[in-house]
Amino acid sequence: MLEYLNFSTMKKPLFILSVALTFLAACASNHKEVKPAHAIQGLASPIRLQLDTTRVYMTDYFPETSKIESISWNGVNWNSDSTGLVILLGSAPSPVSNMNIIYEGGSYDIPVFATNKIRHTFTYKPSRPDVTTIEVSGSMNGWNRKASPLIKNGDSWSVEMVLNQGLYQYRIWEDEIEMMDASNTNTISNGMGGFNNTFQAGTSTEKQPMMFTEHASQTSITLVDADDCEHVFAYLDNQLIDTHKEPGKIIIDIPKSHTAKERSHLRVFADNGTTRYNDILIPLKNGQVITNPAELTRSDLRNTIMYFVMVDRFVDGDTSNNRPTDDSTIHAKANNLGGDLQGITQKIKDGYFEKLGINTIWISPITTNAEGAWGLWDKGVKSTFSAYHGYWPTALRSIDNRLGSKVAMDELLATAHANNMNVILDYVAHHVHQEHPLYKQMPEWTTPLYLPDGSMNTEKWDEHRLTTWFDTFLPTWKFADHAVVEALTDTAMYWVENYDLDGFRHDATKHINEDFWRTLTKKVKAYQAQHPNRSLYQIGETYGNPELISSYISSGQMDAQFDFNLYDAAVDAFAKPETNFSNLERVLEESMTYYGSHHLMGNITGNQDRARFISYADSSVQFSEDAKLAGWTRNIQNRDTSGYHNMEMLMAFLMTAPGVPCIYYGDEIGMPGGNDPDNRRMMHFNDWNSPQAKLHEATQKLVNLRRSNMALSYGETEIIYNENGVLVIGRKYFDSVAIITLNKGLSSETLSIQLPTHLSTTSKQLLQNEIRINQNQIEIQPSSAGYNVFYK
């Protein structure tokens, strides 16, 4: 039988409890009455086990760990201390298991996922025998070549790493010289005109077993399970509820106790004894399954369509606050152009966002920023920069008067909310400008600019990830000091407490340690507990591998991050005519594995740190060139209509994929540009040419289809076909079905693709090309390059 850790009778701060291996037959009914319990805010993130030891912070889930009465889990063994830190040792009894916590008399359940990690030995033979040092950097170690020291063994070098099974990219360093591994022919595009080597850790993952939503009544939900699961766990919010099985089906009874709750969620996790299934997510209103998207609100985050606005580059709504920096060393495109908060409010009132289908606006930082000219670009063109972008703060609790005022921000928020839109604020916690008074007063609160070896610690993104400065005038806060963490999280909370915000986009997430994010999120949750009508979404920015990215996503940290890996794969797939969809499929499935089948990751159309997608897609910018230099030295314009076609394909993919679609301002009309600052041109509205207007219309249709089809926001996702430059994706949510076809036009033959019976659809379609569908079969002609969405 299961044993329980009882906190109320605990006398020692740390102890180890071995638990019997008895495993509850999860597919059987639990036979218990479920009473709603509300100590956990939101949906408890699953506990993902590591290979040997897993640290679980109960403070991620519960406001006061002293009120935890007991914890039970049917794993091998584990221990806990009085602070609520639980250390799970060894393996899990099955791919999915459950942890139960009794908190103030209420029962809570958290899913536990077994690890997918293995020990992998990487071996490399140098190109010459006299090499003295070998280093490897790649997606497996955060591209930090100092993180995985190789040891020489005979004529080869090796290192053992603990990795999730999957594909990894890497490059080699021989005696400080970066190179490809010439002995390995497996390569992949790096998205910048070059290539990386790849290796496979473990065996290629077996095809994931699938379950699908089939039917909902007032009292129960039926799922299709063709693979016959061994264990299934159904959670209504954060409590386990009854399930039972019939041949090929899973039946879940909806407790009557939740009928009074305006919004609750049902989650289902299952496994076949060796492999975890896709997960199911179903929103409920007053205990009834939501099948009509009109019942979703702006607080239902999976129905979110986000739009990024760089405030200074959007609309000049108040010319009286225009104050470009008066310095002749600043090129015009690197100076303030006059956009402001009032301009964004005008466009909300004009209906621009509503017509496009946007329900969440992400605005760039608005805190007071540095005056004067800073930094230097000296390639082809010489220029310093103003702080037009908002990422060089000199005050953390005031609005930059070049962008607006508190009155203007309050009006923007009120106008957005009156039009059923969220507003999330880009917040810079990582650094300040050297002119910030607090830096002058407390320089010891920042990390040293120089490393012990005398070298400057700037732009060492991976090697010194948590201490590096972004530039010599941008000191990094010392987040290893908890006093700094407390002060800066209080500053972030100022914006929550004084403005009716709906969340944060957090800059430079991976360069800040987890203590900051846990402390901030704990304060956010405490505030939300006192203000139950406030819902705050936190999304981060991390360039790195999924392991690093996901380490910041949990109930105690952020809701999501932007999925730059998916964007890179999408750029490679849609902007390059010769690339097929193999890597895009791999990364799409990898994201669902790491972040969940119904994750809230941001899926971007573009990024302020990259050249515009459309300029790559029409070859106005080459992948092999310096895109910043191109932006400074050339007048980059749309070359032809091919870029618009490919931009529309990218939009179709992002508007139908799991996650939160995010439009980079201007991508809806195909604005061109090299890298920063050329990708940050002033937005324009009333002078669109025919291709721009056509792309805007197509984007509008795709966005509104996303918001009006439950399968595209809550549906299960299945890759149906991926060959010959054709990718077919199916999404299903009960009777709502969407079939997405993406065709590169690489095949010279007509393709006939059979659809699974559970994904049968009608002939409604949103199309860029002509494709025929006959019952469960799609016919794709060789000349039909483009996308289609069949839906019902």
Side-chain angles (χ1 to χ4, degrees), residues 117 143 155 161 214 245 276 287 427 448 522 571 637 670 678 695 722:
K117 295 182 183 295
W143 296 98
D155 62 351
M161 294 177 279
E214 182 182 59
K245 291 190 65 180
R276 183 159 48 90
Y427 188 75
K522 186 174 182 179
V571 170
Q637 298 297 329
D678 194 43
L695 176 59
N722 184 9

PDB file of all heavy atoms in Angstrom, residues 117 143 155 161 214 245 276 287 427 448 522 571 637 670 678 695 722:
ATOM      1  N   LYS A 117      15.272  10.497 -20.354  1.00  0.00           N
ATOM      2  CA  LYS A 117      16.714  10.731 -20.434  1.00  0.00           C
ATOM      3  C   LYS A 117      17.512   9.429 -20.413  1.00  0.00           C
ATOM      4  O   LYS A 117      17.088   8.442 -19.818  1.00  0.00           O
ATOM      5  CB  LYS A 117      17.171  11.638 -19.285  1.00  0.00           C
ATOM      6  CG  LYS A 117      16.604  13.054 -19.331  1.00  0.00           C
ATOM      7  CD  LYS A 117      17.150  13.890 -18.199  1.00  0.00           C
ATOM      8  CE  LYS A 117      16.526  15.278 -18.194  1.00  0.00           C
ATOM      9  NZ  LYS A 117      16.882  16.044 -19.385  1.00  0.00           N
ATOM     10  N   TRP A 143      24.958  25.336 -26.371  1.00  0.00           N
ATOM     11  CA  TRP A 143      25.976  25.948 -27.222  1.00  0.00           C
ATOM     12  C   TRP A 143      27.105  26.556 -26.393  1.00  0.00           C
ATOM     13  O   TRP A 143      27.735  27.527 -26.798  1.00  0.00           O
ATOM     14  CB  TRP A 143      25.360  26.980 -28.174  1.00  0.00           C
ATOM     15  CG  TRP A 143      24.414  26.339 -29.130  1.00  0.00           C
ATOM     16  CD1 TRP A 143      23.057  26.285 -29.017  1.00  0.00           C
ATOM     17  CD2 TRP A 143      24.744  25.614 -30.323  1.00  0.00           C
ATOM     18  NE1 TRP A 143      22.513  25.573 -30.061  1.00  0.00           N
ATOM     19  CE2 TRP A 143      23.533  25.155 -30.887  1.00  0.00           C
ATOM     20  CE3 TRP A 143      25.946  25.326 -30.974  1.00  0.00           C
ATOM     21  CZ2 TRP A 143      23.478  24.405 -32.062  1.00  0.00           C
ATOM     22  CZ3 TRP A 143      25.890  24.583 -32.153  1.00  0.00           C
ATOM     23  CH2 TRP A 143      24.676  24.141 -32.680  1.00  0.00           C
ATOM     24  N   ASP A 155      43.277   7.721 -29.533  1.00  0.00           N
ATOM     25  CA  ASP A 155      43.269   8.705 -30.617  1.00  0.00           C
ATOM     26  C   ASP A 155      41.928   9.415 -30.758  1.00  0.00           C
ATOM     27  O   ASP A 155      41.682  10.109 -31.743  1.00  0.00           O
ATOM     28  CB  ASP A 155      43.652   8.034 -31.936  1.00  0.00           C
ATOM     29  CG  ASP A 155      42.652   6.956 -32.343  1.00  0.00           C
ATOM     30  OD1 ASP A 155      41.767   6.629 -31.523  1.00  0.00           O
ATOM     31  OD2 ASP A 155      42.759   6.443 -33.468  1.00  0.00           O
ATOM     32  N   MET A 161      27.152  12.436 -21.466  1.00  0.00           N
ATOM     33  CA  MET A 161      26.132  13.447 -21.188  1.00  0.00           C
ATOM     34  C   MET A 161      24.799  12.777 -20.893  1.00  0.00           C
ATOM     35  O   MET A 161      24.520  11.708 -21.435  1.00  0.00           O
ATOM     36  CB  MET A 161      25.985  14.389 -22.388  1.00  0.00           C
ATOM     37  CG  MET A 161      27.206  15.233 -22.672  1.00  0.00           C
ATOM     38  SD  MET A 161      27.019  16.273 -24.150  1.00  0.00           S
ATOM     39  CE  MET A 161      27.392  15.094 -25.436  1.00  0.00           C
ATOM     40  N   GLU A 214     -14.131  12.329 -28.581  1.00  0.00           N
ATOM     41  CA  GLU A 214     -15.163  11.798 -29.472  1.00  0.00           C
ATOM     42  C   GLU A 214     -16.541  12.363 -29.181  1.00  0.00           C
ATOM     43  O   GLU A 214     -17.221  12.846 -30.075  1.00  0.00           O
ATOM     44  CB  GLU A 214     -15.218  10.274 -29.378  1.00  0.00           C
ATOM     45  CG  GLU A 214     -16.243   9.659 -30.326  1.00  0.00           C
ATOM     46  CD  GLU A 214     -16.336   8.145 -30.206  1.00  0.00           C
ATOM     47  OE1 GLU A 214     -16.636   7.662 -29.088  1.00  0.00           O
ATOM     48  OE2 GLU A 214     -16.088   7.454 -31.214  1.00  0.00           O
ATOM     49  N   LYS A 245     -13.000   2.095 -18.689  1.00  0.00           N
ATOM     50  CA  LYS A 245     -12.694   1.752 -20.075  1.00  0.00           C
ATOM     51  C   LYS A 245     -13.746   0.847 -20.680  1.00  0.00           C
ATOM     52  O   LYS A 245     -14.347   0.021 -20.003  1.00  0.00           O
ATOM     53  CB  LYS A 245     -11.327   1.060 -20.160  1.00  0.00           C
ATOM     54  CG  LYS A 245     -10.142   1.971 -19.855  1.00  0.00           C
ATOM     55  CD  LYS A 245      -8.843   1.275 -20.193  1.00  0.00           C
ATOM     56  CE  LYS A 245      -8.753   1.013 -21.677  1.00  0.00           C
ATOM     57  NZ  LYS A 245      -7.500   0.346 -22.068  1.00  0.00           N
ATOM     58  N   ARG A 276       4.221   7.486 -23.270  1.00  0.00           N
ATOM     59  CA  ARG A 276       3.151   8.398 -22.908  1.00  0.00           C
ATOM     60  C   ARG A 276       2.363   8.814 -24.155  1.00  0.00           C
ATOM     61  O   ARG A 276       2.917   9.054 -25.212  1.00  0.00           O
ATOM     62  CB  ARG A 276       3.752   9.617 -22.208  1.00  0.00           C
ATOM     63  CG  ARG A 276       2.754  10.634 -21.712  1.00  0.00           C
ATOM     64  CD  ARG A 276       3.371  11.522 -20.617  1.00  0.00           C
ATOM     65  NE  ARG A 276       4.669  12.039 -20.965  1.00  0.00           N
ATOM     66  CZ  ARG A 276       4.894  13.189 -21.597  1.00  0.00           C
ATOM     67  NH1 ARG A 276       3.853  13.930 -21.982  1.00  0.00           N
ATOM     68  NH2 ARG A 276       6.120  13.610 -21.846  1.00  0.00           N
ATOM     69  N   GLY A 287     -19.443  23.172 -15.643  1.00  0.00           N
ATOM     70  CA  GLY A 287     -19.433  21.718 -15.692  1.00  0.00           C
ATOM     71  C   GLY A 287     -19.773  21.122 -17.040  1.00  0.00           C
ATOM     72  O   GLY A 287     -19.781  19.900 -17.181  1.00  0.00           O
ATOM     73  N   TYR A 427       8.741  43.525 -20.228  1.00  0.00           N
ATOM     74  CA  TYR A 427       9.401  43.999 -19.002  1.00  0.00           C
ATOM     75  C   TYR A 427      10.869  43.579 -19.003  1.00  0.00           C
ATOM     76  O   TYR A 427      11.192  42.408 -19.240  1.00  0.00           O
ATOM     77  CB  TYR A 427       8.698  43.450 -17.761  1.00  0.00           C
ATOM     78  CG  TYR A 427       9.227  44.058 -16.487  1.00  0.00           C
ATOM     79  CD1 TYR A 427       8.882  45.365 -16.130  1.00  0.00           C
ATOM     80  CD2 TYR A 427      10.091  43.356 -15.656  1.00  0.00           C
ATOM     81  CE1 TYR A 427       9.379  45.945 -14.973  1.00  0.00           C
ATOM     82  CE2 TYR A 427      10.593  43.928 -14.502  1.00  0.00           C
ATOM     83  CZ  TYR A 427      10.241  45.228 -14.160  1.00  0.00           C
ATOM     84  OH  TYR A 427      10.744  45.799 -13.027  1.00  0.00           O
ATOM     85  N   PRO A 448      30.237  41.737 -12.023  1.00  0.00           N
ATOM     86  CA  PRO A 448      31.435  42.440 -12.508  1.00  0.00           C
ATOM     87  C   PRO A 448      31.482  42.456 -14.038  1.00  0.00           C
ATOM     88  O   PRO A 448      31.118  41.486 -14.691  1.00  0.00           O
ATOM     89  CB  PRO A 448      32.596  41.614 -11.941  1.00  0.00           C
ATOM     90  CG  PRO A 448      32.004  40.812 -10.822  1.00  0.00           C
ATOM     91  CD  PRO A 448      30.587  40.550 -11.213  1.00  0.00           C
ATOM     92  N   LYS A 522       5.402  33.935  -7.333  1.00  0.00           N
ATOM     93  CA  LYS A 522       4.741  33.798  -6.031  1.00  0.00           C
ATOM     94  C   LYS A 522       4.023  35.088  -5.658  1.00  0.00           C
ATOM     95  O   LYS A 522       2.887  35.068  -5.156  1.00  0.00           O
ATOM     96  CB  LYS A 522       5.770  33.427  -4.957  1.00  0.00           C
ATOM     97  CG  LYS A 522       5.159  33.130  -3.602  1.00  0.00           C
ATOM     98  CD  LYS A 522       6.203  32.632  -2.612  1.00  0.00           C
ATOM     99  CE  LYS A 522       5.555  32.283  -1.269  1.00  0.00           C
ATOM    100  NZ  LYS A 522       6.559  31.765  -0.292  1.00  0.00           N
ATOM    101  N   VAL A 571      11.156  28.964 -40.713  1.00  0.00           N
ATOM    102  CA  VAL A 571      11.853  29.808 -41.685  1.00  0.00           C
ATOM    103  C   VAL A 571      12.582  28.935 -42.701  1.00  0.00           C
ATOM    104  O   VAL A 571      12.528  29.169 -43.915  1.00  0.00           O
ATOM    105  CB  VAL A 571      12.846  30.751 -40.966  1.00  0.00           C
ATOM    106  CG1 VAL A 571      13.755  31.447 -41.982  1.00  0.00           C
ATOM    107  CG2 VAL A 571      12.099  31.783 -40.137  1.00  0.00           C
ATOM    108  N   GLN A 637      13.703  46.120 -50.307  1.00  0.00           N
ATOM    109  CA  GLN A 637      12.277  46.171 -50.608  1.00  0.00           C
ATOM    110  C   GLN A 637      11.814  44.787 -51.052  1.00  0.00           C
ATOM    111  O   GLN A 637      12.637  43.899 -51.304  1.00  0.00           O
ATOM    112  CB  GLN A 637      11.996  47.205 -51.710  1.00  0.00           C
ATOM    113  CG  GLN A 637      12.365  48.634 -51.331  1.00  0.00           C
ATOM    114  CD  GLN A 637      11.562  49.158 -50.154  1.00  0.00           C
ATOM    115  OE1 GLN A 637      10.404  48.775 -49.941  1.00  0.00           O
ATOM    116  NE2 GLN A 637      12.167  50.060 -49.380  1.00  0.00           N
ATOM    117  N   GLY A 670       3.491  42.103 -45.014  1.00  0.00           N
ATOM    118  CA  GLY A 670       4.740  41.754 -45.669  1.00  0.00           C
ATOM    119  C   GLY A 670       5.774  42.863 -45.667  1.00  0.00           C
ATOM    120  O   GLY A 670       6.488  43.055 -46.659  1.00  0.00           O
ATOM    121  N   ASP A 678      16.780  47.740 -39.194  1.00  0.00           N
ATOM    122  CA  ASP A 678      16.026  47.820 -40.448  1.00  0.00           C
ATOM    123  C   ASP A 678      14.713  47.053 -40.385  1.00  0.00           C
ATOM    124  O   ASP A 678      13.788  47.344 -41.146  1.00  0.00           O
ATOM    125  CB  ASP A 678      16.882  47.302 -41.601  1.00  0.00           C
ATOM    126  CG  ASP A 678      16.317  47.658 -42.966  1.00  0.00           C
ATOM    127  OD1 ASP A 678      15.874  48.811 -43.133  1.00  0.00           O
ATOM    128  OD2 ASP A 678      16.309  46.791 -43.859  1.00  0.00           O
ATOM    129  N   LEU A 695      -2.269  39.898 -48.731  1.00  0.00           N
ATOM    130  CA  LEU A 695      -1.703  39.185 -47.586  1.00  0.00           C
ATOM    131  C   LEU A 695      -2.450  39.541 -46.308  1.00  0.00           C
ATOM    132  O   LEU A 695      -2.743  38.669 -45.475  1.00  0.00           O
ATOM    133  CB  LEU A 695      -0.212  39.509 -47.444  1.00  0.00           C
ATOM    134  CG  LEU A 695       0.495  38.904 -46.224  1.00  0.00           C
ATOM    135  CD1 LEU A 695       0.396  37.382 -46.219  1.00  0.00           C
ATOM    136  CD2 LEU A 695       1.962  39.349 -46.186  1.00  0.00           C
ATOM    137  N   ASN A 722       3.889  13.335 -44.398  1.00  0.00           N
ATOM    138  CA  ASN A 722       5.011  14.247 -44.582  1.00  0.00           C
ATOM    139  C   ASN A 722       6.012  13.620 -45.545  1.00  0.00           C
ATOM    140  O   ASN A 722       6.951  12.954 -45.135  1.00  0.00           O
ATOM    141  CB  ASN A 722       5.688  14.587 -43.253  1.00  0.00           C
ATOM    142  CG  ASN A 722       6.802  15.610 -43.424  1.00  0.00           C
ATOM    143  OD1 ASN A 722       6.982  16.199 -44.486  1.00  0.00           O
ATOM    144  ND2 ASN A 722       7.560  15.822 -42.363  1.00  0.00           N
TER     145      ASN A 722
END
